[in-house]
Amino acid sequence: MRQQVTAVLWRALLAAALVCGIGLLPWLTHTDPALTVLKARSADRDPSPEVLAAIRDQLGLDGGPLHLLGQWLGGLAHGDAGRSWISGSAVLPDVLNALGASLLLMAAALAVAAVTAALVCARTLRRGARRRLGGRRGGGTLSAVLAALPEFLTASVLATVVGVQLGWLPALGWYGPQYTVLPALALGLPAGAVLGRLLDDLLPGAFGEPWALAAAARGLPGRRIARQALRRCLPALLPNAGLFVVGLTGGAVAVEQIFDIPGLGRTTLQAALAQDLPVLQAGTLALVLLAALATGATRLAAHLLTGPALRDGALPTLHRPAPPARRALPLLYGAALLAVVALGLPRDPLAVDTAARLRPPSPAHPFGTDALGRDLLARVGHGALDTLLLAAAITAATLLLGVLLGLLPRLSGPLVDTVNAVPPVLAALLVTAVAGSGPATPALAVTAVGWAALAAHTSALLRQERATLHLLATRGMGASPWYLLRREILPAILPPVTRHALLRLPGVALSLASLGFLGLGAQPPSPEWGLLLAENQPYAERAPWAVLAPAAVLALLGALAVTAAGGVRRPRRDRRRPATPAAVTGPSPAHAAEPAGAR
C-alpha cells in the first residue's frame, strides 16, 4: 500500500512540475509572450508599445508567471481551464473536442497496428504451431521497412494517391468514420511494424518452453498452443503498447496537419508555437492523465494475463541462448548503403541547376534532382555522415538511459509516463528553454524523450525475469544480487532491448529532421536525410523520386538495423565450465526446452 501511495505522489509531482514548466516557458526562453500572441492573432499588425501594453493588461502578464500559474490552477480546481489567449474561447471544451478526435483516430490506428503486428508475426505463429521453428527467427526486413517509413510521407502518399487521384476515400477533413481510414493507416502501419517485431522476437522463446512441448506431446491443437504462446508474450509487450496509445494521441501532429484533423496533437503544437499557455497546459495535462490511465490499464491486463505465476516466481524465461543469426542479409544491406554513400560523396550536394529542376533518374543523376536542380544522390551521400553518426549516438545514449532507468521501475515508471505524454515539439521547446538553441539542441530533445520506450521495455522484461524458476533457484542457493544482475538478469534483458533500440534507429533520424522545421535542427541547405524528405514532400506527386530516394535509404537503414540486431543474442554458456550457483540449479532453460529425443 505504501508503494502505491508513493507512486501516486511521484506521478502527481512530475505532472505538476511539467505543467509548471510549461507555464514558465515564455520566460525561460526569454521571449515576450505579448509579442508572440500578437503575431498569432494578427501577423500584419504593428507591435507598438501601446498594443503590447494592452495585450499584457488583458492577459495579466504584468503579474508574472507565478501569478498566472496560480490563477490557472485555481480555475482548474473549479472545472475552468481558462480562455485561449489567441481566440478568447473557453479552453476546456476545445481541448475535450480535440481529445475526442484524437482518441477516435488513435483507436482506428491501434486497430491497423494490431492487424499489421499480426501479419508481421504470422509466419512465426504458424511455424510454431506446427513445431517447425527449429530455433529460426524471422529476419524482420519487411517490418523494418514499414517502421522506417515516415508518417508524414505515408500520409502524403495516401492522401494524394488514394484520396485525390483514385478518389476512393476522403483525403481532407474530419466529418465521419470514413475520414479516419487514411490517417489511421499512416499512423498504424509504422506502430504495428514495431510492435510486431517485438512480439515476433518473443514468440520463439514461448514455443520452446516446457509447457508448449508438453502440450504438443499430449496432442493439443497447434492453434491452441499458438494462442497460449501469444498470451505468454503479451505481458512483456503491453507497456510499449500503452506508450503507443499516448504517442498516437498527442504525437500525430504531422498526420493531423496533412489531413486537417482537429486533434490534440495539432492543438498543442499550435498552442506551443503561439505560446497560448492555457491551451498548452490543458492539452498537456490531458495527455498526462491519459498516460496514467493507459499505464494502469496495461499493468492490469499484464497481471491478468500472467496470473499467479508472476507472484509465485513460476515463470520460465523467454530469453534463452540462441545460435547466431545468419549474417548474409546485414552484409548485403550494409554494402548497398555503403555503395550509395560512396557514389554520392564525390558529387557536389549544393550545386544548383535551375534548368534541371525535378529531373527523373538518369545516368547523369541516378536519383534524379530536387526542386532546385541539385543532385539527389549527392545530397543523400553527404547527408549520410551527419544522419547516421548522430542517430547512432542518440540511439546508444537512449539505450543506456533506458536500461539504467528501466532497472529501477519504481523510479522510472511514473517518469516514463510523464515523458511520453510530452509531444515531441513541446519537448524540443522545453529543452531549448533549458539548454538554449544550438547544434546539440535537437540531439538533446530526441534523447530526452527517446529513452522512455526502452525503459518501459526493460522494466517489463525485468518484472518477468525476476519471476522465473531458475532465478528463484539461484537466489535460494545463496547467489548475491550483484551475481544475479550480472549473470542472469542483464544477459536476458540486454539483447531484446538492444534489438528494440536498433529498430528505432531510423525513427531517431526522422525525429531530428522534424525539429528542423522549428529552427531547432538541421536547416537548409543541409542534406540531412529527414530534411530532404520534408523539403521534397510538396513535390511528391510531380516528382515521386525526390521523396523516394531519401525514403529508400531510410528503409535500407531500417532493414540493416533490424537484420544486424538479429545477431544480438544471449550467448551460450560453456558446458565445460565448473559449476556455479547458476549452473547447479539443473539443466539450462535451453536444454530443458529440447525434446528428449533431440539430445
Side-chain angles (χ1 to χ4, degrees):
M1 183 63 180
R2 178 180 298 177
Q3 295 178 0
Q4 296 176 350
V5 173
T6 303
V8 170
L9 293 177
W10 179 223
R11 290 177 187 275
L13 179 62
L14 289 173
L18 177 60
V19 173
C20 292
I22 292 173
L24 299 175
L25 186 60
W27 289 269
L28 291 175
T29 55
H30 304 290
T31 57
D32 186 359
L35 180 60
T36 307
V37 170
L38 176 64
K39 290 181 178 179
R41 289 179 178 179
S42 177
D44 298 331
R45 192 172 181 182
D46 182 30
S48 62
E50 294 78 11
V51 173
L52 295 178
I55 293 177
R56 293 191 187 96
D57 182 66
Q58 178 189 4
L59 302 180
L61 296 176
D62 292 333
L66 297 181
H67 171 74
L68 289 174
L69 183 61
Q71 188 178 20
W72 184 80
L73 291 175
L76 188 65
H78 297 88
D80 181 13
R83 292 188 171 275
S84 169
W85 287 0
I86 307 301
S87 65
S89 60
V91 168
L92 194 57
D94 292 342
V95 169
L96 291 179
N97 290 334
L99 178 61
S102 292
L103 289 178
L104 178 59
L105 177 59
M106 177 266 294
L110 282 181
V112 173
V115 174
T116 305
L119 292 176
V120 169
C121 61
R123 179 176 177 271
T124 302
L125 283 171
R126 184 173 63 253
R127 293 179 64 89
R130 298 176 181 176
R131 312 302 305 167
R132 295 180 180 176
L133 273 178
R136 296 178 62 186
R137 296 175 183 262
T141 303
L142 178 59
S143 60
V145 171
L146 288 176
L149 287 177
E151 294 174 352
F152 67 87
L153 176 61
T154 307
S156 299
V157 172
L158 289 175
T160 302
V161 177
V162 180
V164 177
Q165 294 181 353
L166 300 178
W168 291 349
L169 290 167
L172 193 66
W174 190 253
Y175 304 105
Q178 68 272 21
Y179 288 83
T180 65
V181 177
L182 294 182
L185 287 173
L187 289 172
L189 287 175
V194 174
L195 292 175
R197 269 302 301 156
L198 295 179
L199 180 59
D200 192 69
D201 193 51
L202 295 172
L203 282 172
F207 280 115
E209 290 181 347
W211 66 265
L213 299 173
R218 191 176 179 182
L220 266 66
R223 291 184 178 179
R224 185 174 179 182
I225 297 176
R227 287 197 301 268
Q228 293 302 319
L230 191 62
R231 177 178 178 178
R232 171 70 178 89
C233 297
L234 281 179
L237 194 68
L238 284 173
N240 274 282
L243 296 183
F244 273 110
V245 168
V246 183
L248 292 176
T249 305
V253 178
V255 174
E256 289 178 355
Q257 286 184 327
I258 290 173
F259 291 100
D260 195 23
I261 299 173
L264 191 58
R266 185 182 178 190
T267 300
T268 53
L269 169 64
Q270 294 173 347
L273 296 179
Q275 294 187 354
D276 192 351
L277 296 187
V279 177
L280 184 57
Q281 288 170 324
T284 305
L285 185 60
L287 288 174
V288 170
L289 294 176
L290 178 63
L293 290 176
T295 300
T298 54
R299 287 186 177 178
L300 178 60
H303 178 75
L304 294 176
L305 288 172
T306 308
L310 189 64
R311 180 196 62 211
D312 298 337
L315 286 175
T317 181
L318 285 172
H319 309 287
R320 299 178 176 84
R326 290 176 294 183
R327 300 178 181 178
L329 281 179
L331 290 177
L332 178 63
Y333 295 139
L337 188 60
L338 184 61
V340 170
V341 175
L343 291 174
L345 285 179
R347 298 167 177 259
D348 186 358
L350 302 179
V352 175
D353 184 4
T354 55
R357 295 178 64 253
L358 300 178
R359 289 282 179 86
S362 64
H365 303 286
F367 283 2
T369 61
D370 63 6
L372 295 178
R374 295 173 297 189
D375 185 74
L376 283 173
L377 177 59
R379 294 184 65 74
V380 168
H382 282 266
L385 299 179
D386 293 338
T387 302
L388 294 179
L389 291 178
L390 188 56
I394 293 174
T395 300
T398 54
L399 175 61
L400 179 61
L401 286 174
V403 171
L404 292 178
L405 292 174
L407 293 174
L408 304 171
R410 295 180 184 177
L411 171 68
S412 64
L415 190 58
V416 165
D417 298 338
T418 305
V419 168
N420 189 62
V422 179
V425 172
L426 180 57
L429 293 176
L430 291 174
V431 170
T432 305
V434 174
S437 60
T441 298
L444 291 174
V446 175
T447 305
V449 298
W451 62 269
L454 301 178
H457 194 187
T458 301
S459 297
L461 296 178
L462 175 66
R463 191 177 300 111
Q464 292 207 31
E465 200 64 27
R466 281 177 172 174
T468 54
L469 286 168
H470 77 278
L471 198 69
L472 180 65
T474 307
R475 187 185 298 113
M477 297 190 67
S480 65
W482 170 246
Y483 180 90
L484 292 175
L485 178 66
R486 182 172 55 92
R487 299 298 299 275
E488 300 292 340
I489 294 177
L490 283 180
I493 288 177
L494 280 179
V497 178
T498 302
R499 294 193 292 271
H500 183 184
L502 288 174
L503 184 63
R504 291 180 174 271
L505 180 60
V508 170
L510 290 173
S511 298
L512 292 171
S514 65
L515 298 181
F517 292 111
L518 303 177
L520 303 175
Q523 295 296 304
S526 170
E528 196 268 337
W529 285 355
L531 191 57
L532 294 184
L533 277 170
E535 288 177 340
N536 295 304
Q537 186 267 334
Y539 310 99
E541 186 175 358
R542 290 178 53 196
W545 56 86
V547 292
L548 286 178
V553 292
L554 276 171
L556 189 61
L557 173 62
L560 172 62
V562 173
T563 52
V568 183
R569 299 293 174 190
R570 184 173 183 175
R572 291 182 180 273
R573 288 178 180 164
D574 190 356
R575 299 182 183 180
R576 297 170 296 179
R577 193 174 56 194
T580 64
V584 298
T585 59
S588 69
H591 298 156
E594 296 175 359
R599 299 182 189 175

